[in-house]
Amino acid sequence: MLRPLLRYQLTVDVVVAVLFFLGSVLFIVIPYGFWTGVDTRASLLVAVIVTAGFSIALGIRRWSPPLALGLVWLLALVQMAFGLPPLPSNVAIFGVLYVTAAYGSRLLFWLGFASAMVGALAITLYLIVPPLIAGGWSLMGAIEANLLVGVTVFFSAALALLLSWTVGALVRTALRARANRQAQERAEEETAVEAERNRIARDMHDVVAHSLAVVIAQADGARYAAAADPQAANEALGAISTTARSALSDVRMLLTQLRHSQADGPQPTIADLEKLYAQVRGAGVDLRIDVDPAPTQEAPASVQLAVYRILQEALTNALRHGSGGAVDVALAWHPDRVHLNVRNPAPDPPTAVAGDGRGHGLIGMRERAQLVGGTFEAGPREGEFVVTATLPFAGVGMGAR
Protein backbone atom coordinates (compact mmCIF):
# COMPACT_ATOMS: atom_id res chain seq x y z
CA MET A 1 0.00 0.00 0.00
CA LEU A 2 1.45 3.31 -1.13
CA ARG A 3 0.07 6.46 0.46
CA PRO A 4 0.13 9.71 -1.55
CA LEU A 5 2.28 12.31 0.18
CA LEU A 6 2.89 15.96 -0.52
CA ARG A 7 6.30 17.02 -1.72
CA TYR A 8 7.22 18.71 1.54
CA GLN A 9 6.25 15.54 3.46
CA LEU A 10 8.55 13.43 1.29
CA THR A 11 11.32 15.97 1.75
CA VAL A 12 10.92 15.97 5.53
CA ASP A 13 10.96 12.16 5.70
CA VAL A 14 14.11 11.93 3.56
CA VAL A 15 15.91 14.57 5.63
CA VAL A 16 14.89 12.85 8.89
CA ALA A 17 16.10 9.48 7.58
CA VAL A 18 19.49 10.89 6.55
CA LEU A 19 20.02 12.67 9.86
CA PHE A 20 18.90 9.56 11.74
CA PHE A 21 21.41 7.42 9.84
CA LEU A 22 24.30 9.82 10.46
CA GLY A 23 23.53 10.09 14.16
CA SER A 24 23.13 6.33 14.61
CA VAL A 25 26.38 5.56 12.77
CA LEU A 26 28.25 8.03 14.98
CA PHE A 27 27.00 6.22 18.06
CA ILE A 28 28.34 2.96 16.58
CA VAL A 29 31.67 4.08 15.15
CA ILE A 30 32.91 6.58 17.75
CA PRO A 31 32.40 4.31 20.80
CA TYR A 32 33.58 1.31 18.76
CA GLY A 33 33.89 -1.67 21.10
CA PHE A 34 32.91 0.37 24.16
CA TRP A 35 29.26 1.53 24.25
CA THR A 36 27.62 -0.81 21.76
CA GLY A 37 29.57 -4.02 22.21
CA VAL A 38 30.40 -4.11 18.47
CA ASP A 39 34.00 -5.23 18.81
CA THR A 40 34.96 -6.59 15.37
CA ARG A 41 35.17 -5.01 11.95
CA ALA A 42 32.79 -7.57 10.48
CA SER A 43 30.22 -6.85 13.16
CA LEU A 44 30.75 -3.13 12.63
CA LEU A 45 30.06 -3.49 8.90
CA VAL A 46 26.87 -5.46 9.54
CA ALA A 47 25.80 -2.91 12.16
CA VAL A 48 26.24 -0.06 9.66
CA ILE A 49 24.23 -1.96 7.03
CA VAL A 50 21.48 -2.70 9.52
CA THR A 51 21.48 0.95 10.60
CA ALA A 52 21.11 2.04 6.98
CA GLY A 53 18.16 -0.35 6.59
CA PHE A 54 16.42 0.98 9.69
CA SER A 55 16.97 4.53 8.42
CA ILE A 56 15.34 3.61 5.10
CA ALA A 57 12.40 2.06 6.97
CA LEU A 58 12.05 5.27 8.94
CA GLY A 59 12.12 7.32 5.73
CA ILE A 60 9.40 5.31 3.96
CA ARG A 61 7.20 4.69 7.00
CA ARG A 62 4.49 7.15 5.92
CA TRP A 63 4.79 6.42 2.20
CA SER A 64 4.39 2.64 2.63
CA PRO A 65 3.69 1.40 6.18
CA PRO A 66 3.50 -2.32 5.14
CA LEU A 67 6.88 -2.16 3.40
CA ALA A 68 8.42 -0.36 6.38
CA LEU A 69 7.06 -3.00 8.82
CA GLY A 70 8.35 -5.88 6.70
CA LEU A 71 11.77 -4.23 6.35
CA VAL A 72 12.01 -3.68 10.11
CA TRP A 73 11.27 -7.34 10.82
CA LEU A 74 13.88 -8.47 8.26
CA LEU A 75 16.53 -6.20 9.74
CA ALA A 76 15.72 -7.31 13.28
CA LEU A 77 16.18 -10.96 12.27
CA VAL A 78 19.50 -10.12 10.58
CA GLN A 79 20.63 -8.25 13.68
CA MET A 80 19.81 -11.22 15.91
CA ALA A 81 21.33 -13.71 13.45
CA PHE A 82 24.68 -11.93 13.59
CA GLY A 83 24.51 -11.60 17.36
CA LEU A 84 24.57 -7.84 17.37
CA PRO A 85 23.63 -5.99 20.57
CA PRO A 86 20.80 -3.43 20.66
CA LEU A 87 21.65 -0.57 18.29
CA PRO A 88 20.63 3.09 18.37
CA SER A 89 18.90 2.62 15.02
CA ASN A 90 16.42 0.23 16.68
CA VAL A 91 14.53 3.37 17.72
CA ALA A 92 13.11 3.39 14.17
CA ILE A 93 10.91 0.44 15.20
CA PHE A 94 8.80 2.80 17.34
CA GLY A 95 8.18 5.10 14.37
CA VAL A 96 7.15 2.20 12.15
CA LEU A 97 4.74 0.79 14.75
CA TYR A 98 3.24 4.26 15.09
CA VAL A 99 2.39 4.57 11.38
CA THR A 100 0.98 1.04 11.18
CA ALA A 101 -1.61 2.06 13.75
CA ALA A 102 -2.14 5.63 12.52
CA TYR A 103 -2.25 5.21 8.72
CA GLY A 104 -2.32 1.48 7.96
CA SER A 105 -5.24 -0.62 6.77
CA ARG A 106 -7.30 -2.61 9.25
CA LEU A 107 -5.14 -5.68 8.65
CA LEU A 108 -1.92 -3.70 9.07
CA PHE A 109 -3.37 -2.09 12.20
CA TRP A 110 -3.61 -5.48 13.93
CA LEU A 111 -0.35 -6.71 12.40
CA GLY A 112 1.33 -3.78 14.12
CA PHE A 113 -0.22 -4.82 17.43
CA ALA A 114 0.90 -8.43 16.92
CA SER A 115 4.37 -7.24 15.95
CA ALA A 116 4.67 -5.33 19.22
CA MET A 117 3.81 -8.41 21.29
CA VAL A 118 5.91 -10.86 19.25
CA GLY A 119 8.74 -8.35 19.14
CA ALA A 120 8.72 -8.01 22.92
CA LEU A 121 8.94 -11.81 23.25
CA ALA A 122 11.77 -11.97 20.68
CA ILE A 123 13.71 -9.26 22.51
CA THR A 124 13.31 -11.11 25.80
CA LEU A 125 14.52 -14.42 24.37
CA TYR A 126 17.38 -12.79 22.50
CA LEU A 127 18.71 -10.99 25.57
CA ILE A 128 18.41 -13.96 27.95
CA VAL A 129 18.77 -17.23 26.04
CA PRO A 130 22.10 -16.75 24.15
CA PRO A 131 24.11 -15.85 27.29
CA LEU A 132 22.69 -18.91 29.04
CA ILE A 133 23.64 -21.15 26.11
CA ALA A 134 27.16 -19.74 26.01
CA GLY A 135 27.69 -20.35 29.74
CA GLY A 136 26.03 -23.75 29.90
CA TRP A 137 22.72 -24.19 31.68
CA SER A 138 20.03 -26.53 32.73
CA LEU A 139 16.35 -25.89 32.11
CA MET A 140 15.36 -25.73 35.77
CA GLY A 141 18.35 -23.57 36.65
CA ALA A 142 17.59 -21.15 33.83
CA ILE A 143 13.98 -20.83 34.94
CA GLU A 144 14.89 -20.29 38.57
CA ALA A 145 17.64 -17.77 37.83
CA ASN A 146 16.07 -15.80 34.98
CA LEU A 147 12.31 -16.04 35.34
CA LEU A 148 11.99 -12.67 37.09
CA VAL A 149 14.43 -11.01 34.70
CA GLY A 150 12.66 -12.44 31.66
CA VAL A 151 9.25 -11.33 32.82
CA THR A 152 10.58 -7.86 33.57
CA VAL A 153 12.27 -7.55 30.18
CA PHE A 154 9.18 -8.81 28.35
CA PHE A 155 6.78 -6.42 30.01
CA SER A 156 9.18 -3.49 29.63
CA ALA A 157 9.68 -4.18 25.91
CA ALA A 158 5.96 -4.78 25.36
CA LEU A 159 5.07 -1.55 27.16
CA ALA A 160 7.54 0.47 25.10
CA LEU A 161 6.45 -1.04 21.77
CA LEU A 162 2.75 -0.88 22.55
CA LEU A 163 3.08 2.73 23.66
CA SER A 164 4.10 3.86 20.17
CA TRP A 165 1.40 1.67 18.62
CA THR A 166 -1.23 3.10 21.00
CA VAL A 167 -0.26 6.68 20.16
CA GLY A 168 -0.74 5.82 16.50
CA ALA A 169 -4.15 4.29 17.27
CA LEU A 170 -5.20 7.50 19.04
CA VAL A 171 -4.07 9.58 16.06
CA ARG A 172 -6.01 7.22 13.78
CA THR A 173 -9.15 7.82 15.82
CA ALA A 174 -8.63 11.58 15.73
CA LEU A 175 -8.12 11.56 11.95
CA ARG A 176 -11.29 9.54 11.43
CA ALA A 177 -13.25 11.87 13.70
CA ARG A 178 -12.01 14.87 11.73
CA ALA A 179 -12.88 13.19 8.42
CA ASN A 180 -16.38 12.41 9.71
CA ARG A 181 -16.79 15.99 10.91
CA GLN A 182 -15.70 17.35 7.53
CA ALA A 183 -18.06 14.98 5.73
CA GLN A 184 -20.90 16.15 7.95
CA GLU A 185 -20.06 19.79 7.25
CA ARG A 186 -20.02 19.09 3.51
CA ALA A 187 -23.37 17.33 3.77
CA GLU A 188 -24.84 20.26 5.70
CA GLU A 189 -23.47 22.72 3.16
CA GLU A 190 -24.90 20.69 0.26
CA THR A 191 -28.24 20.55 2.05
CA ALA A 192 -28.19 24.30 2.53
CA VAL A 193 -27.30 24.86 -1.14
CA GLU A 194 -30.06 22.52 -2.26
CA ALA A 195 -32.60 24.20 0.00
CA GLU A 196 -31.56 27.60 -1.32
CA ARG A 197 -31.82 26.39 -4.90
CA ASN A 198 -35.30 25.09 -4.26
CA ARG A 199 -36.24 28.47 -2.82
CA ILE A 200 -34.74 30.19 -5.86
CA ALA A 201 -36.66 27.78 -8.09
CA ARG A 202 -39.89 28.96 -6.51
CA ASP A 203 -38.88 32.56 -7.15
CA MET A 204 -37.89 31.86 -10.73
CA HIS A 205 -41.12 29.99 -11.32
CA ASP A 206 -43.11 33.10 -10.43
CA VAL A 207 -40.80 35.32 -12.49
CA VAL A 208 -41.34 33.19 -15.59
CA ALA A 209 -45.10 32.99 -14.97
CA HIS A 210 -45.23 36.78 -14.71
CA SER A 211 -43.23 37.21 -17.92
CA LEU A 212 -45.49 34.86 -19.86
CA ALA A 213 -48.57 36.64 -18.56
CA VAL A 214 -47.14 39.93 -19.85
CA VAL A 215 -46.42 38.35 -23.22
CA ILE A 216 -49.98 37.07 -23.51
CA ALA A 217 -51.48 40.43 -22.51
CA GLN A 218 -49.28 42.36 -24.96
CA ALA A 219 -50.01 39.91 -27.74
CA ASP A 220 -53.75 40.27 -27.24
CA GLY A 221 -53.41 44.06 -27.19
CA ALA A 222 -51.30 44.06 -30.36
CA ARG A 223 -53.84 41.91 -32.16
CA TYR A 224 -56.70 44.30 -31.42
CA ALA A 225 -54.63 47.43 -32.06
CA ALA A 226 -53.03 46.27 -35.30
CA ALA A 227 -55.74 47.75 -37.53
CA ALA A 228 -56.58 50.92 -35.61
CA ASP A 229 -53.18 51.96 -34.24
CA PRO A 230 -50.15 50.34 -35.96
CA GLN A 231 -47.69 52.31 -33.77
CA ALA A 232 -49.24 50.86 -30.59
CA ALA A 233 -49.05 47.40 -32.14
CA ASN A 234 -45.33 47.88 -32.87
CA GLU A 235 -44.69 49.01 -29.28
CA ALA A 236 -46.57 46.00 -27.99
CA LEU A 237 -44.53 43.68 -30.19
CA GLY A 238 -41.32 45.28 -28.88
CA ALA A 239 -42.44 44.70 -25.32
CA ILE A 240 -43.27 41.09 -26.20
CA SER A 241 -39.78 40.58 -27.62
CA THR A 242 -38.05 42.02 -24.58
CA THR A 243 -40.20 40.12 -22.11
CA ALA A 244 -39.88 36.86 -24.01
CA ARG A 245 -36.09 37.11 -24.08
CA SER A 246 -36.00 37.66 -20.35
CA ALA A 247 -38.38 34.76 -19.75
CA LEU A 248 -36.28 32.49 -21.99
CA SER A 249 -33.16 33.31 -19.97
CA ASP A 250 -34.99 32.54 -16.74
CA VAL A 251 -36.27 29.22 -18.11
CA ARG A 252 -32.77 28.20 -19.13
CA MET A 253 -31.42 28.94 -15.67
CA LEU A 254 -34.33 27.06 -14.15
CA LEU A 255 -33.80 23.96 -16.28
CA THR A 256 -30.04 23.78 -16.04
CA GLN A 257 -29.34 24.73 -12.44
CA LEU A 258 -32.41 24.24 -10.31
CA ARG A 259 -35.00 21.72 -9.25
CA HIS A 260 -38.47 22.98 -9.96
CA SER A 261 -40.71 23.50 -6.92
CA GLN A 262 -43.94 25.42 -7.06
CA ALA A 263 -44.81 28.03 -4.48
CA ASP A 264 -47.13 30.99 -4.19
CA GLY A 265 -46.23 34.54 -3.35
CA PRO A 266 -45.37 37.80 -5.13
CA GLN A 267 -41.82 38.43 -6.29
CA PRO A 268 -40.05 41.50 -4.88
CA THR A 269 -38.47 44.02 -7.25
CA ILE A 270 -36.31 47.09 -6.79
CA ALA A 271 -39.52 49.05 -6.23
CA ASP A 272 -39.85 47.16 -2.94
CA LEU A 273 -36.42 48.25 -1.72
CA GLU A 274 -37.78 51.35 0.01
CA LYS A 275 -40.07 49.17 2.10
CA LEU A 276 -37.05 46.99 2.96
CA TYR A 277 -35.03 50.05 3.94
CA ALA A 278 -37.88 51.28 6.11
CA GLN A 279 -38.05 47.97 7.94
CA VAL A 280 -34.32 48.07 8.66
CA ARG A 281 -34.47 51.70 9.84
CA GLY A 282 -37.47 50.84 11.99
CA ALA A 283 -35.28 48.30 13.79
CA GLY A 284 -32.98 51.13 14.90
CA VAL A 285 -30.23 50.78 12.28
CA ASP A 286 -28.57 53.94 10.93
CA LEU A 287 -28.98 53.03 7.25
CA ARG A 288 -27.39 55.23 4.58
CA ILE A 289 -28.32 54.67 0.92
CA ASP A 290 -26.34 55.89 -2.09
CA VAL A 291 -27.64 55.20 -5.62
CA ASP A 292 -25.22 56.52 -8.25
CA PRO A 293 -25.86 56.24 -11.13
CA ALA A 294 -29.60 55.69 -10.86
CA PRO A 295 -31.38 53.18 -13.11
CA THR A 296 -32.45 54.70 -16.45
CA GLN A 297 -34.45 51.70 -17.62
CA GLU A 298 -36.13 48.68 -16.13
CA ALA A 299 -33.79 45.84 -15.24
CA PRO A 300 -34.65 42.20 -15.97
CA ALA A 301 -36.93 40.63 -13.38
CA SER A 302 -34.34 38.01 -12.40
CA VAL A 303 -31.73 40.71 -11.73
CA GLN A 304 -34.19 42.78 -9.69
CA LEU A 305 -35.03 39.70 -7.62
CA ALA A 306 -31.33 38.94 -7.07
CA VAL A 307 -30.62 42.52 -6.00
CA TYR A 308 -33.51 42.49 -3.56
CA ARG A 309 -32.63 39.10 -2.01
CA ILE A 310 -28.92 39.91 -1.68
CA LEU A 311 -29.63 43.25 -0.05
CA GLN A 312 -32.25 41.64 2.18
CA GLU A 313 -29.81 39.01 3.44
CA ALA A 314 -26.90 41.47 3.78
CA LEU A 315 -29.00 43.92 5.79
CA THR A 316 -30.35 41.08 7.92
CA ASN A 317 -26.79 39.99 8.74
CA ALA A 318 -25.85 43.57 9.57
CA LEU A 319 -28.88 43.83 11.84
CA ARG A 320 -28.23 40.53 13.62
CA HIS A 321 -24.45 40.44 13.81
CA GLY A 322 -23.28 44.04 13.39
CA SER A 323 -21.74 46.01 16.22
CA GLY A 324 -24.42 48.71 16.10
CA GLY A 325 -22.77 51.24 13.80
CA ALA A 326 -24.03 52.74 10.57
CA VAL A 327 -24.73 50.52 7.57
CA ASP A 328 -23.83 51.87 4.11
CA VAL A 329 -25.57 50.60 0.97
CA ALA A 330 -24.27 51.66 -2.44
CA LEU A 331 -26.02 50.79 -5.70
CA ALA A 332 -24.59 51.65 -9.12
CA TRP A 333 -26.91 50.99 -12.07
CA HIS A 334 -24.78 50.89 -15.21
CA PRO A 335 -26.18 50.23 -18.71
CA ASP A 336 -24.97 46.62 -18.69
CA ARG A 337 -24.76 45.73 -14.99
CA VAL A 338 -25.60 46.68 -11.46
CA HIS A 339 -23.01 46.82 -8.70
CA LEU A 340 -24.04 46.71 -5.03
CA ASN A 341 -21.98 47.17 -1.91
CA VAL A 342 -23.04 46.81 1.73
CA ARG A 343 -20.72 47.82 4.56
CA ASN A 344 -21.20 47.63 8.30
CA PRO A 345 -18.82 47.56 11.29
CA ALA A 346 -17.30 44.11 11.72
CA PRO A 347 -19.16 41.88 14.19
CA ASP A 348 -17.85 41.47 17.71
CA PRO A 349 -16.62 38.79 18.18
CA PRO A 350 -15.37 38.41 14.57
CA THR A 351 -16.62 34.81 14.43
CA ALA A 352 -20.23 35.90 14.85
CA VAL A 353 -20.73 35.69 11.06
CA ALA A 354 -19.54 32.71 9.07
CA GLY A 355 -17.10 34.67 6.99
CA ASP A 356 -15.43 31.53 5.59
CA GLY A 357 -18.37 30.90 3.29
CA ARG A 358 -20.11 28.15 5.26
CA GLY A 359 -22.97 30.33 6.53
CA HIS A 360 -26.32 29.56 4.90
CA GLY A 361 -26.98 33.26 4.24
CA LEU A 362 -23.68 33.73 2.42
CA ILE A 363 -24.30 30.58 0.39
CA GLY A 364 -27.71 31.90 -0.61
CA MET A 365 -26.36 35.28 -1.68
CA ARG A 366 -23.61 33.64 -3.71
CA GLU A 367 -26.16 31.38 -5.40
CA ARG A 368 -28.33 34.40 -6.24
CA ALA A 369 -25.43 36.18 -7.92
CA GLN A 370 -24.16 33.13 -9.80
CA LEU A 371 -27.58 32.26 -11.22
CA VAL A 372 -27.68 35.55 -13.16
CA GLY A 373 -24.02 35.20 -14.19
CA GLY A 374 -22.65 37.61 -11.59
CA THR A 375 -19.95 37.61 -8.97
CA PHE A 376 -20.16 37.80 -5.19
CA GLU A 377 -17.72 38.42 -2.34
CA ALA A 378 -18.24 38.75 1.40
CA GLY A 379 -15.90 39.00 4.35
CA PRO A 380 -14.15 41.26 6.84
CA ARG A 381 -12.12 44.11 5.42
CA GLU A 382 -10.34 46.83 7.42
CA GLY A 383 -12.63 46.62 10.43
CA GLU A 384 -15.82 46.28 8.38
CA PHE A 385 -17.85 43.39 7.05
CA VAL A 386 -18.27 44.02 3.32
CA VAL A 387 -20.69 42.38 0.88
CA THR A 388 -20.17 43.16 -2.82
CA ALA A 389 -21.90 41.77 -5.89
CA THR A 390 -21.89 42.57 -9.59
CA LEU A 391 -24.89 41.37 -11.62
CA PRO A 392 -24.73 41.70 -15.42
CA PHE A 393 -27.64 42.39 -17.75
CA ALA A 394 -26.01 40.79 -20.81
CA GLY A 395 -28.07 37.95 -22.28
CA VAL A 396 -31.01 38.67 -19.97
CA GLY A 397 -32.76 41.27 -22.05
CA MET A 398 -32.78 44.92 -20.98
CA GLY A 399 -35.43 47.31 -22.09
CA ALA A 400 -38.65 49.08 -21.17
CA ARG A 401 -41.54 46.85 -20.21
Side-chain angles (χ1 to χ4, degrees):
M1 181 185 70
L2 301 179
R3 297 179 62 248
L5 297 178
L6 299 176
R7 180 174 298 179
Y8 84 91
Q9 293 176 316
L10 291 172
T11 302
V12 169
D13 287 348
V14 170
V15 172
V16 169
V18 171
L19 295 177
F20 180 79
F21 171 74
L22 295 176
S24 300
V25 167
L26 287 177
F27 272 95
I28 296 173
V29 175
I30 293 178
Y32 174 55
F34 178 69
W35 286 357
T36 62
V38 179
D39 53 1
T40 65
R41 291 186 176 181
S43 297
L44 178 62
L45 177 61
V46 175
V48 172
I49 294 174
V50 170
T51 298
F54 277 117
S55 301
I56 294 174
L58 186 66
I60 66 172
R61 70 193 188 282
R62 291 197 294 180
W63 179 61
S64 179
L67 182 59
L69 182 63
L71 182 59
V72 161
W73 266 112
L74 177 62
L75 294 169
L77 294 176
V78 170
Q79 181 178 346
M80 290 186 289
F82 280 88
L84 295 177
L87 300 174
S89 58
N90 294 145
V91 176
I93 297 174
F94 298 107
V96 173
L97 287 177
Y98 166 82
V99 297
T100 59
Y103 308 120
S105 63
R106 185 176 182 84
L107 175 61
L108 187 63
F109 178 82
W110 291 112
L111 284 177
F113 176 80
S115 296
M117 300 303 296
V118 175
L121 179 61
I123 292 173
T124 302
L125 296 177
Y126 181 69
L127 293 179
I128 294 178
V129 173
L132 294 177
I133 295 177
W137 60 288
S138 64
L139 180 60
M140 294 304 298
I143 293 176
E144 294 174 357
N146 297 280
L147 178 60
L148 181 59
V149 175
V151 170
T152 303
V153 172
F154 173 78
F155 279 103
S156 299
L159 180 62
L161 295 174
L162 285 177
L163 179 60
S164 59
W165 181 88
T166 302
V167 172
L170 294 175
V171 171
R172 181 192 191 94
T173 302
L175 291 176
R176 287 191 173 183
R178 185 175 64 180
N180 291 336
R181 184 170 60 255
Q182 291 175 346
Q184 182 180 1
E185 291 176 353
R186 288 194 298 268
E188 291 176 352
E189 181 175 340
E190 291 173 359
T191 301
V193 170
E194 188 63 25
E196 181 62 24
R197 287 186 174 182
N198 286 333
R199 186 160 68 95
I200 296 173
R202 295 193 297 269
D203 292 342
M204 299 301 290
H205 170 267
D206 289 343
V207 168
V208 174
H210 169 75
S211 299
L212 292 178
V214 171
V215 168
I216 294 172
Q218 294 288 353
D220 290 339
R223 184 179 60 181
Y224 292 116
D229 190 352
Q231 180 62 30
N234 289 334
E235 292 178 358
L237 291 175
I240 289 174
S241 175
T242 300
T243 305
R245 291 177 185 276
S246 177
L248 179 60
S249 176
D250 293 341
V251 168
R252 285 174 176 170
M253 287 189 294
L254 178 66
L255 294 179
T256 57
Q257 301 185 41
L258 300 173
R259 292 181 177 178
H260 180 72
S261 176
Q262 290 186 344
D264 297 328
Q267 296 303 306
T269 65
I270 58 175
D272 300 306
L273 288 178
E274 289 299 329
K275 184 184 298 183
L276 176 64
Y277 299 153
Q279 293 175 349
V280 175
R281 290 191 177 103
V285 175
D286 182 12
L287 183 62
R288 298 179 295 199
I289 310 299
D290 180 25
V291 181
D292 185 23
T296 58
Q297 52 188 337
E298 186 176 357
S302 58
V303 174
Q304 294 188 50
L305 179 60
V307 170
Y308 183 91
R309 294 301 188 194
I310 292 175
L311 283 176
Q312 183 182 46
E313 187 63 38
L315 292 175
T316 300
N317 284 342
L319 181 63
R320 295 172 57 187
H321 304 296
S323 60
V327 178
D328 295 309
V329 175
L331 283 170
W333 295 90
H334 301 285
D336 60 342
R337 70 190 186 281
V338 57
H339 180 79
L340 64 90
N341 182 285
V342 181
R343 296 174 175 269
N344 63 277
D348 187 20
T351 57
V353 175
D356 57 358
R358 291 202 298 256
H360 294 183
L362 298 184
I363 293 174
M365 288 189 284
R366 182 173 289 107
E367 285 282 331
R368 295 282 183 181
Q370 291 176 349
L371 284 176
V372 295
T375 59
F376 173 84
E377 292 182 1
R381 189 184 306 167
E382 298 180 355
E384 295 180 317
F385 193 85
V386 182
V387 174
T388 60
T390 301
L391 311 178
F393 300 150
V396 181
M398 279 287 293
R401 301 280 175 91

